[in-house]
Amino acid sequence: MKLKGWKELTPGAVVTEPGSSKKFKTGSWRAFKPKWIEENCIQCLFCWIYCPDMAVKVKDGKRGEFDYDYCKGCGICALECPGKKGNKAIVMEEEGK
Amino acid sequence: MPKIVAVTGNEAVAEALRQVDPDVCAAYPITPQTDIMQRFSSFASNCKVKTEMILVESEHSAMSACVGASAAGGRVITATSSQGLALMWEILWIASGDRLPIVMPLVNRALSAPINIHGDHSDGMGARDCGWIQLWSENAQESYDNTIQAFRIAEHMDIRLPAMVCLDGFIISHSINRMEYLEDEKVKNFVGDFKQLNPLLNIEKPVSYGPLILTDYYMEYRKAHEHVMSKVPGVVMQVADEFEKMTGRKYGLFETYRLEDAEVGIVVLNSAAGTTKDVIDDFRAKGIKAGLLKPRLYRPFPYAQVGEALKHLKAVCVLDRADAFGGSFGPLFMDIASSLYIQDKKPLMFNRIYGLGGRDYMPDQAELVLNELAETVKTGKVKSVKEYIGVRE
């Protein structure tokens, strides 16, 4: 995306397009990456509720893959995940490994 | 017909605010400003204005409430002094960065410690680079006129920046001056209606204020701010011309007094200019060609124009009612030095710090400075670049 020059900006950095924060992809901030282990998932959707961004995709009431464009790697989903029989459905892995 | 009155500077500013009748006012009391807001809040209580007064617990909250109200779409005012301005400091940058045209009289007072309530420019100087417009005023009339003009300048569609109107604590704020009030209708017509560019309360067109701007855009926003500041002097002149047509009172970016044919000059802000002009007349009578320059638009500082106005002098003394500790010189001196730096030919210059904490600036101090200027011209040498005057050894 071509960045705007200083003459093209809205005065006072006012955002005039509602919902445009979805264009602000923050995935590159991540140092730890959540990994979804489907066989341990009970579809409780805690991860979707607790995710402070929009990194957990849900379709037809079912949890799908992570949207890594918005995952900052905070680890809340992994912490809250109850898993199945003591096995977490979300684990955090170091980026770059 | 304008009404001739004998009022204090604070009374005059409160009257201007009543005549403008802004939408929202959030303020917190602090000497010597308290008197403005005390008067203004009684206007509000007695239905003389329709302004919504917001009770706040500090100046930090006062300025924060102003930011919210201005972003929401209102014409917003507050007023403060000294420690109050210091406490607002964080939010001053938000008001200017968000381009909110808040108008704030600043009744100049010394900063603590040691605690002192009197006239001194340390407060305004501390906030000179926070992206606000600053207009400085010599007396009650100028404080009143600048307050009215500040709305037009701040709210100009090319500008949209907050503005401070500075007047000297006690010396002007609490002394009775003879001055002229304009008719209410004239002031109302002059300032006109306020329309926020992107009001938060317009639910038809939702907007967000204060987004996170990181390395990719922050510098572009700062450049845009610097650019809009450069347009302020033009707007100040345009508003001053209209104001002159209405009142006959002429304003510029700065005032000059007997400067055109002068050999030596004094640069001084606010109330001390009056005393200085009297002493200049005495020296003129003695055959010493002295003049004065009194900045009015101090931020943005009109460097080029000030430099042009001073470059023909042989010697200049800049009087500062504030020191900039560790910056070597007083703040006004540094700006005047910068103005002359870009000129090929420049006068000999020195800086004298006077009147801190409300110490009286007396004619003998102006005489001392003018004699030293004459001596400097004679010897071609500056004896000492920076000194305090009117201080005990």
Side-chain angles (χ1 to χ4, degrees), chain A residues 9-27:
Chain A
L9 304 176
T10 321
V14 175
V15 180
T16 52
E17 187 191 339
S20 57
S21 62
K22 68 170 182 277
K23 292 182 182 171
F24 187 33
K25 293 180 178 171
T26 49

Side-chain angles (χ1 to χ4, degrees), chain B residues 232-288:
Chain B
V232 173
V235 171
V236 168
M237 289 310 295
Q238 191 187 317
V239 172
D241 286 347
E242 273 186 55
F243 193 80
E244 188 188 355
K245 282 193 191 95
M246 178 172 68
T247 63
R249 289 192 291 277
K250 193 177 171 64
Y251 286 95
L253 303 175
F254 48 83
E255 182 196 327
T256 58
Y257 183 75
R258 305 187 85 163
L259 191 69
E260 289 70 23
D261 66 334
E263 287 185 351
V264 297
I266 292 179
V267 181
V268 67
L269 282 163
N270 280 14
S271 65
T275 310
T276 310
K277 287 176 203 168
D278 271 0
V279 179
I280 284 172
D281 288 345
D282 296 344
F283 275 67
R284 281 273 178 174
K286 286 194 277 184
I288 293 169

Side-chain angles (χ1 to χ4, degrees), chain A residues 1-7 9-18 24 29, chain B residues 97-99 197-198 206-209 211-214 217 220-221 223-224 227:
Chain A
M1 188 172 68
K2 192 180 173 290
L3 294 174
K4 287 177 182 173
W6 66 267
K7 290 176 188 166
L9 304 176
T10 321
V14 175
V15 180
T16 52
E17 187 191 339
F24 187 33
W29 299 10
Chain B
D98 285 352
R99 303 277 300 274
L197 204 57
N198 289 302
V207 295
S208 297
Y209 273 78
L212 178 71
I213 303 290
L214 296 174
Y217 272 108
E220 280 68 29
Y221 277 106
K223 173 62 195 168
H227 177 70

